[in-house]
Amino acid sequence: MDYKKKIITSLLLALVATVGLLLLNPERSSSESAKQYFWTNKTFNDHKYDIVAYGDSRVYRGFSTKHFLGNKNLTCFNFGYSSASFSERMLEFCASKLSDKKERKLIFGITSHSFTDHAQKDEQFVLEQSRSSFDILLRKYKAGSIKRFDPISPEDVFGFSKKVETFYSDGWVSTSKVEIDTAGGLESYKKVFEDNPVNATAVNHFMKFVEHQVSLGVDVYAYRPPTMVSMDSLEDELSGFDFKSFKIQFENAGGIWIDVPRSGYQTYDGSHLTLTSTIQFSDWLGKQILD
């Protein structure tokens, strides 16, 4: 075989191998393209919804709109972000996503951290909003055929990955096949409120926002996302946030508070619900609000 034939043969073999990898490419345990599309689609979502759910990671990882709605003929989207706050910026963002229908609802997952000084920066939301037009376009289209060019790890090929994140079109991220480590979660959470106090002004602004939305005919609901009982205690101790007082203020502003049982749900890190518990909780919450 002469030199030119060797080159042609090598190129053909490389082409066949590439096509084979693209066609037989294994399902990613945690696709980077899916993740990028997920956050871009959430941030630059032009649709309007009957129900808008919002909060920090305990909401976007612990609220399934599908199981919340059940068989109700309504639209709902989970607009939760990591370390999200109830700043004026984020509250107005949520309000802008509501439809013009008479029966509209805002559902807020309340955590003490969401009212802290650090959370008010809304770092993830600001980062997503600041992306260039080209970056936004690329992230939206990467979720299509281009995602096949994502790097492949041995875990993807042989299915050894312990943690699987699934990014849903309704704004929810489920986590499965993850090693349970609630003790580690408690230990790391102790640092969350260091030099990061709850901002009383942020709470007052939130209550004014609730009053305004209620005056517009919007039903505003709030709940404390379920975690471990020990996490609740640790959070209350470190933050000094008084949920009983908050609930009274919220109801005085016209909001509807949903008391969530503080046990009966499983977390994988002390803070975020497992896949099964998210489905269980979302179904329960839907019955409290929609039935």
Side-chain angles (χ1 to χ4, degrees):
M1 183 181 293
D2 59 28
Y3 184 69
K4 288 185 178 180
K5 287 184 177 180
K6 287 182 178 180
I7 293 177
I8 294 174
T9 301
S10 297
L11 290 174
L12 287 173
L13 288 173
L15 178 61
V16 171
T18 301
V19 172
L21 281 174
L22 290 177
L23 293 176
L24 302 175
N25 209 349
E27 184 76 19
R28 300 294 196 278
S29 63
S30 190
S31 169
E32 183 62 25
S33 293
K35 180 179 180 180
Q36 291 179 3
Y37 175 82
F38 174 86
W39 291 112
T40 298
N41 181 60
K42 178 176 288 197
T43 305
F44 299 96
N45 189 327
D46 295 327
H47 297 287
K48 304 287 185 179
Y49 298 89
D50 303 324
I51 304 170
V52 167
Y54 173 77
D56 62 16
S57 58
R58 291 182 187 172
V59 171
Y60 88 73
R61 291 185 179 276
F63 183 100
S64 164
T65 68
K66 174 184 176 181
H67 297 91
F68 170 79
L69 291 174
N71 59 4
K72 300 294 190 298
N73 186 26
L74 298 167
T75 58
C76 179
F77 197 90
N78 182 336
F79 281 101
Y81 285 85
S82 292
S83 299
S85 82
F86 289 102
S87 64
E88 293 183 65
R89 163 178 49 213
M90 297 310 302
L91 291 172
E92 289 305 319
F93 174 76
C94 290
S96 71
K97 302 304 178 182
L98 284 172
S99 69
D100 295 327
K101 293 183 180 179
K102 290 184 178 180
E103 295 184 6
R104 299 168 293 165
K105 303 182 191 305
L106 286 169
I107 301 175
F108 296 127
I110 305 296
T111 65
S112 50
H113 181 265
S114 292
F115 291 101
T116 61
D117 289 338
H118 182 269
Q120 299 298 301
K121 299 176 183 178
D122 299 311
E123 291 179 344
Q124 186 189 18
F125 179 78
V126 171
L127 172 64
E128 296 298 334
Q129 273 210 323
S130 66
R131 297 192 186 281
S132 67
S133 298
F134 175 78
D135 197 13
I136 293 169
L137 188 65
L138 180 62
R139 285 167 174 261
K140 283 188 174 182
Y141 282 98
K142 274 185 71 176
S145 60
I146 301 178
K147 70 181 179 182
R148 289 183 174 274
F149 292 95
D150 276 357
I152 303 175
S153 68
E155 288 82 2
D156 292 319
V157 175
F158 299 106
F160 292 154
S161 179
K162 292 183 178 180
K163 181 179 179 180
V164 176
E165 289 186 315
T166 303
F167 299 87
Y168 296 89
S169 60
D170 67 349
W172 170 41
V173 180
S174 71
T175 305
S176 56
K177 297 184 180 179
V178 61
E179 185 176 348
I180 304 297
D181 184 16
T182 55
L186 283 170
E187 189 61 32
S188 64
Y189 202 75
K190 291 180 180 179
K191 302 176 182 178
V192 168
F193 294 98
E194 290 181 0
D195 300 318
N196 186 34
V198 171
N199 190 318
T201 301
V203 175
N204 290 333
H205 283 158
F206 175 80
M207 296 305 171
K208 290 180 181 178
F209 172 84
V210 173
E211 286 184 348
H212 178 63
Q213 291 301 312
V214 171
S215 72
L216 295 176
V218 177
D219 295 327
V220 184
Y221 294 83
Y223 67 96
R224 186 178 188 180
T227 60
M228 294 195 309
V229 174
S230 53
M231 177 63 81
D232 282 348
S233 300
L234 178 65
E235 191 173 62
D236 292 345
E237 177 186 350
L238 296 177
S239 69
F241 191 80
D242 187 346
F243 270 95
K244 290 183 179 179
S245 174
F246 182 90
K247 174 183 176 181
I248 293 172
Q249 293 181 66
F250 179 73
E251 292 179 334
N252 288 339
I256 303 168
W257 182 266
I258 305 296
D259 283 312
V260 177
R262 306 318 299 168
S263 61
Y265 300 105
Q266 182 184 29
T267 71
Y268 58 85
D269 61 356
S271 188
H272 303 103
L273 297 180
T274 61
L275 170 62
T276 300
S277 282
T278 296
I279 293 173
Q280 177 188 351
F281 167 70
S282 301
D283 177 74
W284 177 88
L285 188 64
K287 288 180 171 61
Q288 307 307 305
I289 293 177
L290 302 178
D291 286 353

